Every structure is written in C-alpha cells, then in structure tokens.
Amino acid sequence: MTTTTRSVWDDLVGQRPTIEVLQQAAAGQGMTHAWLFTGPPGSGRSNVARAFAAALQCESRTGCGACEACRLGTSGSHPDITWVKSETSVLYVDDMRDLVQSAAKFPAIGRWQIVVIEDADRLGTPENPRTGNALLKAIEEPTPQTIWLLCAPTVQDVLPTIRSRCRTLTLSTPGTDDVAAFLHRTDGISETMAGFAARASQGHIGRARALALDEETRTRRREVTSIPARLTSLGSCMSAATSLAELAKAETEAITAAAEKRELEELQAIFGSERKDTTSRSYRAALAGLEKLQKQKAKRRVLDVIDRALMDLVSVYRDAIALSVGAPGQLVNEELRDDVARIAGVASPERLLQMIDAIFTAREQMLEFNVPPQLALESMTVALRLPGGR
C-alpha cells in the first residue's frame, strides 16, 4: 500500500490566492523579512504561518511536505522556527526583548531564523506601545536571515509602527462547503455531521472540528443558542447571564486544572527540597509569580470562551434577519429554525440589528474595558429581551 505525501499547503482551507503568493515567496519571488497575516477568527492565520514557515525551510523551497525540514516545521519542532503565543491579555515587554535577542542568532540547521507571533494584536496599543517598541527596531533593521511572521484579526489591531513595516495578506473565512469537505477528508467525519459543524462554526475550522468530534462541545453550543428565544422577562435575562458566566467558568476550569497542576509540579521539581523551606524567598517569589500568571491565563480563557459564546448568539440573530428578509439558503442554526422564526416574528430587522450591536457592546466592555463578565452579560441580556415580554 502506497501513501501520498501531502504538501504543507494541503490543509489550508479556502485560501488559494494567499497560498499562491506564499509559494512564490518561498521560491524567492516577492520575499520580504516581515509578514502580517490578518483574517477573522478561524480563518487559519496560524496555520498559514506554520505552512509558510515550513516552506521557507523546505529543502526544495516548495513546501513539499516530505523533507525533514517540512516535517519539523509542520510539527512545531524545527529549531529555527520560534512560536510566540500569549495565554494572557498582553505580550510582555521583557519577553519580547528576549525574543529579539534570540531572533538575531544564525539559524542552526535551516535557511532562516523564523519567529511567528500568533497574537500580534497583544503587542500593545498606540497609548501604551512598550512591547511593540521592543520589537520595532528588529523589524526595521532585521538580520539578513531573520523572518518575522505576525498574525492578528485585522490590520487595525496591530500597532501602526509595526504593521507599516510588514507585507500584509488578508485571509478570507472559508466557505461552509470547503470546511465540510475538509472535515470529511481529513477526519473521516460523516457528511451530515461535517455539514452541521461547518455551518455552526461559521467557517472556523478548529471550532468545526471540535463540534464534529465532541458531544460536550455540541451540548454547550446548544445551551447558548437556545438562550435568545427564552429572553422574555427580566428574570430570564438575569438567569441567562448567570448561565453564560457559569458555562464559561466551568469550561475554563476543565481546561486549566491539569495545566496548572503540571506547572506547579514543574516549579517544585526545579526548587527541589528548597520549596519545603518556609524561609526560602526565591521559591516563594517564584510561586507567587506562577500563581499570578495562572490567574491571568484563567481570566483570558474565560473571556475567550465567553467571546465564542457571544458569536454563537450573534449567529441566531443573523439567522432571524435572514428569515425576515427572505434570504435564500440554510440558516447557520437550521436545527433551531422554529426558535429563529419566533424571534423574527416579534422583532423587526432593525431591532435585531440593535440586539447584535448590544452583543458587540458587551464584548467590547469585557475585552477592552475590563468590565466584570457578569455585569456586562446582565446588561446585554436585558438589551436582548424580546418585545412583548415582561
């Protein structure tokens, strides 16, 4: 039995124009030292960066998928490809300075020293650009063999001083049919389940895979998308806000418990018997630092989970608008068509747009202004109360 080697580009869904540009660059045409990949959540920004990084190291400069450089690149273990992913709300200036120093080194085995920053939108703001400034000179005056690959949702999310020095490629949201075909081909998922997952994820490939493979993920989404039709009274609004906050907290705790235990064990192993000494200032300082970082990670994960739930809520109201105006095609939440029709029957398209705006307002309050999730969600659900309710 023979197996067909897949190139590093084969798992990028719905991004053919971008792939063609990057293939040419990997071959030496139109290459530059800094790239910025932008696109909506789930468009595959980090996957595109991974494929490009592997292709740049590829022995044939094609991203063949067969050579050792491609295998190391796509698995994330190439010594000359550094990945930076923040699990907190920001990237820290000290970490960025260390990164700049290491990026200036000559490659160990590859053609390039490549740095991929998955969350370039967390490099700072125009009002507080310290972390971005630590990176700026390295991007302005890179060493000859250093390549920077930055990822962010939009160009506007990246500091102007950084984005102006990068070549920007904007990714599109993969189509439902493309995502469904990808799930069926790569994971052996049935066409029916793949179609549901592709619709429900709204083109977010990672989310689609989770929905297709995990019953708990599907159950949590059903709980969220059933909320809009229940918002008929002030009491139901308060209950829905609490439910959303508790769902996010429970999912986050399930994700973080094992990781936090492992991090604590690693710290204890580093300090050995010293950790048992109650007067050990170094251990107590390290432990306090770890606990602070874990709290920051947990807070960010809660916000990420809530953010995903908010986008699921938005999909219900968009479906209601689609029904109201008679748009053709399936709904994102086709299995909730009766609920969607009920919402569309009592709220005008203008009112539905106001509801969507209320969701994005809550999102901004939590992500940008640090409003406690419970308060932001309560304000949001009251704004989503259906006309005619008490």
Side-chain angles (χ1 to χ4, degrees):
M1 180 178 177
T2 60
T3 58
T4 302
T5 301
R6 299 175 60 80
S7 82
V8 300
W9 312 105
D10 286 348
D11 286 342
L12 302 183
V13 182
Q15 307 298 342
R16 176 48 52 188
T18 295
I19 291 173
E20 291 175 353
V21 170
L22 296 179
Q23 285 176 323
Q24 292 174 359
Q29 302 174 31
M31 186 58 192
T32 187
H33 68 280
W35 298 74
L36 173 60
F37 301 115
T38 66
S43 57
R45 298 184 300 262
S46 59
N47 290 335
V48 168
R50 183 182 298 273
F52 187 36
L56 288 172
Q57 304 288 22
C58 176
E59 295 169 10
S60 64
R61 303 192 183 193
T62 63
C64 65
C67 69
E68 183 179 14
C70 281
R71 291 195 296 270
L72 291 174
T74 53
S75 67
S77 55
H78 197 292
D80 297 319
I81 302 176
T82 302
W83 285 84
V84 180
K85 179 176 174 60
S86 174
E87 293 184 317
T88 60
S89 298
V90 295
L91 290 162
Y92 293 101
V93 64
D94 289 342
D95 294 335
M96 200 53 54
R97 286 171 179 156
D98 293 340
L99 179 66
V100 168
Q101 289 183 350
S102 63
K105 298 176 181 178
F106 284 102
I109 64 172
R111 183 176 294 108
W112 304 99
Q113 184 72 255
I114 300 173
V115 181
V116 183
I117 301 179
E118 289 194 37
D119 306 295
D121 51 313
R122 301 182 191 180
L123 285 169
T125 65
E127 296 75 24
N128 185 20
R130 286 187 66 217
T131 304
N133 286 344
L135 177 64
L136 181 58
K137 187 171 179 60
I139 291 184
E140 278 186 318
E141 302 174 9
T143 56
Q145 291 177 284
T146 302
I147 302 295
W148 296 88
L149 307 181
L150 280 59
C151 305
T154 71
V155 171
Q156 288 71 32
D157 290 321
V158 181
L159 289 167
T161 51
I162 298 293
R163 70 187 188 224
S164 65
R165 290 159 175 81
C166 299
R167 179 176 180 180
T168 300
L169 290 179
T170 300
L171 311 185
S172 58
T173 300
T176 299
D177 291 343
D178 288 337
V179 175
F182 173 77
L183 294 176
H184 181 64
R185 182 180 74 248
T186 61
D187 296 294
I189 296 167
S190 70
E191 293 183 359
T192 299
M193 178 59 74
F196 157 76
R199 278 190 294 103
S201 69
Q202 301 175 77
H204 191 303
I205 299 168
R207 177 71 167 157
R209 179 175 272 135
L211 286 166
L213 298 175
D214 184 43
E215 177 61 34
E216 288 188 10
T217 300
R218 294 194 292 272
T219 298
R220 284 193 294 266
R221 186 181 186 280
R222 280 196 298 270
E223 292 178 13
V224 171
T225 54
S226 68
I227 286 174
R230 302 201 308 265
L231 299 179
T232 57
S233 67
L234 186 59
S236 64
C237 292
M238 296 297 102
S239 296
T242 299
S243 176
L244 281 170
E246 289 179 347
L247 277 172
K249 184 178 179 181
E251 184 174 345
T252 300
E253 288 176 347
I255 295 171
T256 60
E260 290 181 352
K261 180 181 178 182
R262 184 182 66 254
E263 290 168 351
L264 178 59
E265 290 174 347
E266 290 173 351
L267 180 67
Q268 291 173 340
I270 291 172
F271 281 87
S273 60
E274 185 180 349
R275 65 185 173 84
K276 299 177 182 179
D277 182 356
T278 57
T279 64
S280 173
R281 293 183 179 180
S282 58
Y283 174 68
R284 283 187 287 129
L287 181 60
L290 175 62
E291 290 173 346
K292 180 181 179 181
L293 182 60
Q294 287 178 338
K295 287 180 181 179
Q296 291 172 334
K297 288 181 180 180
K299 178 182 178 182
R300 182 68 206 190
R301 285 170 180 160
V302 167
L303 293 176
D304 286 344
V305 173
I306 291 176
D307 190 37
R308 188 175 64 231
L310 295 185
M311 294 304 99
D312 286 335
L313 287 178
V314 167
S315 72
V316 176
Y317 294 105
R318 285 177 173 164
D319 277 346
I321 292 174
L323 275 187
S324 294
V325 301
Q330 283 189 313
L331 303 177
V332 170
N333 302 281
E334 188 64 42
E335 65 283 357
L336 293 175
R337 180 174 280 270
D338 290 343
D339 282 355
V340 173
R342 192 178 313 124
I343 294 169
V346 298
S348 67
E350 292 77 14
R351 176 68 182 123
L352 293 169
L353 285 173
Q354 291 172 355
M355 292 174 167
I356 291 174
D357 186 59
I359 296 173
F360 281 104
T361 296
R363 182 178 187 269
E364 183 180 28
Q365 288 174 338
M366 288 181 284
L367 296 179
E368 302 296 333
F369 300 108
N370 293 317
V371 174
Q374 184 72 33
L375 293 179
L377 292 173
E378 287 176 357
S379 176
M380 179 195 75
T381 52
V382 169
L384 297 180
R385 185 166 50 169
L386 293 174
R390 294 182 296 173

